[in-house]
Amino acid sequence: MTAMPADLKGLDLRAEIERLRKERNAVILAHYYQKPELQDLADFVGDSLELSRKAAETDADVIAFCGVKFMAEVAKILSPEKIVILPDMEAGCSLEDSCPPEKFKAFREAHPDHIALTYINCSTEVKALSDVIVTSSSAETILQQIPADQKIIFGPDRHLGGYLSRKFNRDMLLWPGVCIVHEAFSETELLKLKAQHPGAPIAAHPECPPTIVDHADYVGSTSGILNYAKAMEGDTLIVATEPHIIHQMERALPSKTFIGAPGADGNCNCNICPYMALNTMEKLYLALRDLEPRIEIDETLRLGAKKSLDAMLEMASGSVGKGDLGNR
Ligand code: 13P
Ligand code: SF4
């Protein structure tokens, strides 16, 4: 983890980041699960698909990625000539950790007649072993383009894969990974909360287990959930995803109420992504100042991973701006 120099005390970090952003010709991209102060100074805040597209099309020299490592790696794969920095290199993902490349390779080799449709929350190596990458906002559009008789391996998120498999009646072999954040929501506590707010719909991310998704009025990506909040008629929404997204909802819809779905202890603190939380203003400042930590990827590996990402961008083109899996 990046060491924190004591001389940062007293620095106006926001002003310093502004200065460095201009000096470096940097673009700051942030995921919705980042701390509000990072979301507020980003040039763009979005879901995984939108962030991939922004990274591919930017003309900045430096991409400062406020998100997790696999997202910054996607930026580097799609924009290899740019310097891509991640405030904290330890910002990983439980889904990526659940899927070591050598085990995934063996799994693929054991099922040679299957194609690998793989969630973007995985390592660059696993992307290079896959046929098509999906995000939660593009998975539905992409799956519908794959012939019904084509056998599919889906990894590493078994809940997203299971959701797609049930919704589209597709038999898929699922890798047994989960997101520790979405896995922590409690059905019992959610039903107690719903009883207190009977008129409030529930919006859930498809990384949630079926015990949560089955109670949701809307299931979709982070952008999809945000769009649902904007379009809904009521004034209260129960949000079953990482609670930092509520910052964007409160900014866009200050008169509405957003309640984070609870974990087993009855509050939503256990649903804060510990990896996303590693990024801070201090670390972003240091990363822009030092242009470190920097994402570097071996060129052969990058080209391998780019194929499955390009397939996603091509096949997802019909889902531009929709950003969701749709109602259940
Ligand atoms: P989306 O923003 O694409 O919905 O992904 C959520 C997530 O878990 C990112 O790690
Ligand atoms: Fe990974 Fe879950 Fe954190 Fe997203 S919220 S980065 S899937 S651990």
Side-chain angles (χ1 to χ4, degrees):
M1 203 177 296
T2 317
M4 186 65 56
D7 63 349
L8 292 194
K9 277 211 158 132
L11 265 192
D12 181 346
L13 287 174
R14 222 194 138 91
E16 286 298 307
I17 289 168
E18 282 308 331
R19 180 180 66 75
L20 288 166
R21 177 190 348 227
K22 287 194 194 94
E23 256 177 54
R24 303 285 193 207
N25 186 27
V27 65
I28 301 175
L29 303 181
H31 189 266
Y32 290 120
Y33 296 166
Q34 290 292 281
K35 294 178 171 68
E37 59 269 31
L38 291 173
Q39 293 189 37
D40 288 348
L41 57 72
D43 295 287
F44 181 79
V45 187
D47 72 8
S48 308
L49 180 64
E50 293 162 340
L51 290 167
S52 307
R53 288 196 171 120
K54 284 284 167 193
E57 71 196 21
T58 183
D59 54 11
D61 295 320
V62 175
I63 300 173
F65 212 112
C66 296
V68 290
K69 191 165 166 230
F70 77 80
M71 295 179 174
E73 287 178 350
V74 168
K76 185 69 181 176
I77 294 165
L78 297 175
S79 275
E81 72 290 358
K82 318 274 182 217
I83 293 174
V84 179
I85 48 176
L86 179 68
D88 193 319
M89 228 17 131
E90 300 293 312
C93 172
S94 66
L95 283 168
E96 174 173 350
D97 292 347
S98 77
C99 194
E102 60 289 355
K103 288 200 177 146
F104 187 72
K105 186 165 181 278
F107 187 58
R108 279 224 68 173
E109 284 167 0
H111 304 284
D113 52 345
H114 288 59
I115 63 160
L117 199 62
T118 305
Y119 194 31
I120 198 165
N121 298 35
C122 63
S123 64
T124 299
E125 286 80 359
V126 167
K127 287 183 178 76
L129 291 165
S130 301
D131 296 297
V132 187
I133 299 300
V134 301
T135 65
S136 51
S137 59
S138 59
E140 180 176 331
T141 307
I142 291 172
L143 182 59
Q144 286 174 297
Q145 293 169 57
I146 296 173
D149 58 355
Q150 173 62 59
K151 293 178 181 166
I152 298 173
I153 283 173
F154 188 94
D157 185 2
R158 72 183 166 97
H159 292 319
L160 173 59
Y163 174 78
L164 292 166
S165 161
R166 292 191 300 280
K167 180 163 178 175
F168 292 96
N169 198 20
R170 293 287 295 246
D171 198 12
M172 302 199 281
L173 276 180
L174 304 179
W175 186 266
V178 295
C179 161
I180 50 166
V181 170
H182 291 86
E183 184 79 350
F185 290 116
S186 154
E187 181 182 26
T188 310
E189 294 299 324
L190 180 66
L191 291 178
K192 277 193 218 163
L193 185 67
K194 177 75 182 168
Q196 288 160 23
H197 305 275
I202 298 171
H205 197 280
E207 287 175 15
C208 292
T211 48
I212 301 300
V213 160
D214 286 351
H215 297 291
D217 299 277
Y218 174 80
V219 182
S221 76
T222 49
S223 284
I225 293 175
L226 186 56
N227 290 340
Y228 178 81
K230 289 176 182 166
M232 72 175 190
E233 282 171 11
D235 61 5
T236 304
L237 179 66
I238 297 173
V239 181
T241 192
E242 212 274 4
H244 284 111
I245 193 177
I246 291 177
H247 176 61
Q248 290 297 327
M249 296 175 173
E250 289 173 341
R251 273 183 60 162
L253 304 154
S255 62
K256 294 192 181 184
T257 303
F258 301 101
I259 309 171
D265 61 354
N267 73 46
C268 63
N269 286 341
C270 54
N271 303 112
I272 289 175
C273 175
Y275 307 103
M276 292 272 184
L278 289 173
N279 294 326
T280 61
M281 293 278 282
E282 289 83 357
K283 291 179 196 169
L284 175 60
Y285 162 73
L286 290 172
L288 281 165
R289 188 191 73 182
D290 303 340
L291 295 181
E292 295 285 350
R294 204 183 283 201
I295 302 285
E296 304 287 2
I297 302 173
D298 166 82
E299 184 60 5
T300 309
L301 176 62
R302 185 188 76 80
L303 291 173
K306 188 171 182 295
K307 276 194 203 149
S308 58
L309 275 168
D310 283 345
M312 171 187 81
L313 293 172
E314 170 86 24
M315 293 175 84
S317 58
S319 68
V320 175
K322 280 191 190 159
D324 67 279
L325 285 159
N327 291 311
R328 288 187 302 122

